[in-house]
Amino acid sequence: MAARPPRVLTHVDAPSFLRWAAAARSAFGTARAEIDALNVFPVPDGDTGTNLYLTLDAALDRARSALERQVAPGDFAPLVQMCQEMSRAMLLTARGNSGVILSQLFRGFADQVVSDDAAQLDSASLAAALVRADELAWQAVTEPKEGTILSVSRATSQACEQRQQTDPTVSLADLVTVAVQTASAALAHTTDQLPVLARAGVVDAGGAGYLLLLEALQRVVHGVAPTIDDPMRRRPGWAQPHPPVQTRPAVDGPDDADGTGPAFEVMYLLDETDETRVESLRSRLATLGDSLLVVGSEGTWNVHVHVDDPGAAVEAGVEAGRPHRIVITHFGDQISDRIDEQAIAVVACAAGEGIAEVFRAAGTVTVMSGPGQRASAGQLLDAIRTTHAGHVIVLPNDADTELAAQAAAQAAEPAGLRVEVVRSRTAVQGIAALAVFDHEADLSTNVSAMAAAAEATRHGAVTIAHKQALTAAGWCHIGDVLGAVDGEFVIIGSDLYEVAGEIVERLLGDDGELLTVVSGEDAPPDLASAVAAAARIRRRDLEVTFIHGHQPLYPLLLGVE
């Protein structure tokens, strides 16, 4: 039987947009190491290929979770809604310069879709979307330079706009082909535009990522079946077989051939602000350092800057609004990137900022992960690598994150890292496990002790039903208070305090000595203390630890040892 001819699309609708995003994620995942290798700067804002992959991977997870709450199972969200959610997600998951610029390209695309209120995009709409995306990407960078992803985006958008204007009937497939061909040529030209790229004999890493994004769109539009790309294949023309030897590393920045530059990368999200204060922040940060990006929408802004004084950069954020998810990276640590084969480190997942602070205070690398925003295997692998330790213990602190943690552990093996996952099913088990971690002990001893501590911790939770469902305690309805023990709902009630008290009693049993109470972001201020006080009436010698976890959905997480 003859093979069916490919179905060439005449427009991009919601399902094909989703296929495009998935194809791009696959392309980034396959080429991440190759793109990382193109970076000629000692501090490439975390590696470009990895940043692109993790940004899009996390954004797809976040957008999918948001859409699942808005759309009936099995249905596709409208294109406008899908683009809006992807744009929001990209802003929040963006990593490094490349991730932030990628988020702005998606935001520009989304802006055009929303502006047109379009259910689908034809060639004219796509050309306009590429132009809008390019405009936002250039606006995001305080000192834009030729020879980067920006010049590749500009050349591509201009070529598509010109083709559509001279031939209004151009098909979507032909326009996408123009985009890919132009981007490929513009990418090759970046080597001539930046001396630092010419010396290394490579093309721009961010521009390579932009080309992959367009190639993914081309495969979807032209109806090319998904393929498994060979991760060992290298693109001809992206790097010379034997690039010139450099006597010193080059630095990301204009005229930085002497290898000098700011010592720190500072990134944070900013809210509770306005356009005027953001503009003042942008001006202030421009005087402190370089590689400045301040982008955002709908009240949330993503800030990225390279500085010598990270404290001043954070203080500027405090003056402009509320900075959070603050990440400060010392470039010297990134440049060395050496693995201490004897060191043992811990990576811990946290569903709330308060829980994260507890883990950070204990010296762990912390990954935000919880209902609606669970960490991907890529994010966990990234965290494992940042420890620079040869032995790493991962605390998923959530049953639904355990498989991602196991996948990350397996992915770390080729790099010579020994990674073990302790089966902590909730934050209180992770806290108990971390309490027995011993830096002086070896990996297997620590894993055994931590696993035993986690298993010995009885855990419970209190939450509110968001839909009708059948539980082990019977049918629950929207608004019911649910109490869980060891992951199973065992109480349905109407009073938050009463249900919490009952769960504590069940967990304490006859031998409970230590109660850990982790209050959530929606918990009444007196809930934790009231529950503990009630328990102490019966157990005067009960030791209680309070943590303001700020986790979503669960007003209380409880643990008993």
Side-chain angles (χ1 to χ4, degrees), residues 186-375:
L187 176 63
H189 187 45
T190 59
T191 306
D192 302 322
Q193 292 175 301
L194 274 183
V196 68
L197 296 178
R199 286 196 296 270
V202 298
V203 298
D204 177 66
Y210 182 79
L211 175 59
L212 290 179
L213 188 67
L214 292 178
E215 288 178 341
L217 177 60
Q218 184 182 42
R219 287 198 295 273
V220 171
V221 170
H222 285 254
V224 178
T227 58
I228 300 177
D229 294 326
D230 180 5
M232 300 302 293
R233 182 176 70 91
R234 291 294 179 259
R235 289 292 190 101
W238 279 19
Q240 293 180 7
H242 302 286
V245 176
Q246 298 185 43
T247 57
R248 58 182 181 271
V251 174
D252 184 2
D255 303 321
D256 261 344
D258 60 352
T260 61
F264 295 89
E265 177 187 54
V266 178
M267 295 187 70
Y268 51 80
L269 295 180
L270 183 73
D271 54 25
E272 298 180 14
T273 187
D274 54 44
E275 294 279 355
T276 300
R277 287 193 289 171
V278 167
E279 189 57 39
S280 297
L281 172 65
R282 185 179 283 109
S283 298
R284 171 64 177 145
L285 293 178
T287 67
L288 295 176
D290 57 29
S291 296
L292 174 61
L293 295 166
V294 181
V295 299
S297 63
E298 300 185 8
T300 301
W301 298 80
N302 195 315
V303 179
H304 172 285
V305 66
H306 294 177
V307 294
D308 283 318
D309 186 351
V314 175
E315 284 181 15
V318 173
E319 294 172 0
R322 185 179 74 90
H324 56 108
R325 296 195 190 178
I326 301 170
V327 178
I328 299 175
T329 303
H330 184 253
F331 286 158
D333 295 338
Q334 271 195 335
I335 293 169
S336 63
D337 203 28
R338 289 188 296 267
I339 299 297
D340 184 343
E341 296 182 358
Q342 303 304 315
I344 302 178
V346 178
V347 171
C349 294
E353 190 57 41
I355 299 172
E357 286 300 324
V358 171
F359 288 134
R360 291 188 192 114
T364 74
V365 172
T366 304
V367 180
M368 299 307 296
S369 176
Q373 54 173 8
R374 287 187 168 88

Side-chain angles (χ1 to χ4, degrees), residues 20 105 108-109 112 121 123-137 153-154 156-161 175-176 178-180 210 213-214 217:
W20 174 26
L105 291 169
F109 190 93
Q112 187 62 43
L121 266 72
S123 59
S125 300
L126 178 62
L130 290 174
V131 170
R132 178 58 179 156
D134 176 69
E135 290 172 350
L136 286 181
S153 169
R154 178 58 51 88
T156 303
S157 63
Q158 289 179 343
C160 289
E161 183 180 38
L175 188 72
V176 172
V178 169
V180 170
Y210 182 79
L213 188 67
L214 292 178
L217 177 60

Side-chain angles (χ1 to χ4, degrees), residues 61-113:
D61 284 345
R62 181 182 286 268
R64 182 181 64 247
S65 297
L67 291 170
E68 284 176 348
R69 296 191 295 268
Q70 304 170 37
V71 180
D75 291 346
F76 279 103
L79 182 60
V80 168
Q81 188 177 3
M82 190 175 291
C83 286
Q84 287 176 321
E85 289 299 341
M86 274 297 293
S87 178
R88 294 190 189 101
M90 291 286 285
L91 174 64
L92 296 175
T93 62
R95 293 170 177 261
N97 275 332
S98 51
V100 173
I101 293 173
L102 180 66
S103 77
Q104 291 308 286
L105 291 169
F106 265 86
R107 179 186 166 197
F109 190 93
D111 281 357
Q112 187 62 43
V113 172

